[in-house]
Amino acid sequence: MGRLVIENVGQSFEKDKGESTDALKDVNFEVKDGEFVCIIGPSGCGKTTLLRIVAGLDRADSGRILLDGETITSPDPRRGMVFQEYSLFPWRTVIDNVTFGLDMSGMDRKESRKIAEEYLRLVGLEQFRDSYPYELSGGMRQRIAIVRALANDPAVLLMDEPFGSLDAQTRNKLQQELLQIWESKKITILFVTHSVDEAVYLSDRIAVMTSRPGRIKEMVDVDLPRPRDRTSISANKLRNRLLKMLAEENK
């Protein structure tokens, strides 16, 4: 199970001279079990802040977030996190990076490596199991970061612009691979992106946020068949609608 409920979440940050600024205010939405939801919004609207609260890395000032009815208060293996930066351990090999969480949980070493090898085959990197991160391309490193999160069998995968630093061709390929993993594993995904094109291509629904303080401006259904044609009339129509909504917030 992987149903997320975000209820009245607010967060503020201290500024100089004891003043504070609201990053998030009264954020409310739900992510259904097995759903792929993207979050878009103006720069600085609190997208990453919200994702970090869902991950349990930060605490909200108000409201609460529930996973399958249980309030989130701290990081937990049931929520896997993938950052824009690859955040791999440079001193560990590929397979040792993937098994890190499993090893920390006390799993038998033989079993953890078996699981890691299964996921490496899933993304076509089994032949690089003994390589180090510096020997891999950016796209390969991000694949490793994704399978490291998946190896812990999370109910929810949280992704903070994971493809933002990649070239267009690699980005498109990893989007396709992520969808294949999502469809095969039936996992819930909450995905932050600055790219409207990416949100239209990937998601079941798109959470559009307002400018600071971030709220949910609208939850937009993506009623497009899969696999999706990025240049179809329907995709372009939805893309233009989303861009118009974002332009309203950037005034």
Side-chain angles (χ1 to χ4, degrees):
M1 299 293 289
R3 177 174 175 262
L4 279 172
V5 177
I6 292 91
E7 292 184 346
N8 301 315
V9 168
Q11 179 70 292
S12 61
F13 294 104
E14 291 294 326
K15 296 174 64 179
D16 294 337
K17 301 178 182 179
E19 297 179 355
S20 64
T21 181
D22 290 330
L24 300 169
K25 190 170 184 179
D26 298 328
V27 177
N28 290 275
F29 68 99
E30 177 182 331
V31 184
K32 301 171 187 175
D33 182 31
E35 189 175 27
F36 198 132
V37 171
C38 282
I39 303 175
I40 63 173
S43 294
C45 73
K47 299 184 293 295
T48 293
T49 298
L50 177 61
L51 203 70
R52 288 180 61 85
I53 293 172
V54 176
L57 299 173
D58 293 333
R59 295 288 298 270
D61 293 331
S62 59
R64 62 177 184 166
I65 298 176
L66 300 99
L67 174 57
D68 295 330
E70 296 184 6
T71 301
I72 292 171
T73 58
S74 61
D76 186 277
R78 295 195 67 212
R79 282 161 282 121
M81 184 80 173
V82 180
F83 302 91
Q84 181 173 355
E85 298 300 324
Y86 315 117
S87 63
L88 299 177
F89 300 117
W91 60 90
R92 295 177 72 106
T93 62
V94 163
I95 195 163
D96 287 338
N97 264 285
V98 177
T99 61
F100 177 75
L102 301 175
D103 294 339
M104 291 298 99
S105 72
M107 180 179 288
D108 176 75
R109 178 71 170 164
K110 184 177 180 180
E111 181 63 22
S112 68
R113 291 177 77 84
K114 180 181 177 181
I115 292 171
E117 287 170 353
E118 173 192 342
Y119 277 99
L120 289 174
R121 284 193 296 272
L122 188 65
V123 295
L125 292 178
E126 64 272 23
Q127 68 270 38
F128 296 97
R129 61 195 301 280
D130 297 319
S131 299
Y132 287 88
Y134 75 87
E135 299 176 292
L136 308 178
S137 69
M140 293 164 72
R141 278 177 277 177
Q142 197 58 296
R143 286 182 179 91
I144 300 305
I146 292 170
V147 298
R148 182 177 64 180
L150 290 171
N152 294 296
D153 194 27
V156 177
L157 186 61
L158 308 171
M159 310 187 78
D160 187 13
E161 296 189 70
F163 309 143
S165 62
L166 302 175
D167 64 86
Q169 185 176 357
T170 303
R171 184 172 189 156
N172 287 350
K173 183 172 178 55
L174 262 64
Q175 288 170 0
Q176 294 168 6
E177 291 182 0
L178 177 60
L179 286 175
Q180 291 169 0
I181 293 170
W182 170 67
E183 289 169 352
S184 66
K185 298 297 180 180
K186 309 298 183 185
I187 190 171
T188 304
I189 296 181
L190 186 58
F191 188 109
V192 166
T193 180
H194 273 102
S195 169
V196 170
D197 288 353
E198 188 166 63
V200 170
Y201 184 72
L202 291 175
S203 53
D204 293 319
R205 289 189 300 149
I206 299 171
V208 183
M209 294 187 69
T210 65
S211 57
R212 186 184 301 160
R215 298 182 177 90
I216 298 301
K217 180 182 180 74
E218 187 173 335
M219 294 296 297
V220 178
D221 292 325
V222 184
D223 189 18
L224 300 173
R226 300 181 189 273
R228 290 178 179 160
D229 180 353
R230 299 175 190 269
T231 61
S232 70
I233 294 174
S234 298
N236 283 326
K237 183 177 180 180
L238 177 57
R239 185 181 300 109
N240 290 338
R241 176 186 169 194
L242 293 166
L243 288 170
K244 182 178 179 181
M245 294 171 68
L246 292 178
E248 292 172 353
E249 295 303 317
N250 284 318
K251 290 179 179 178

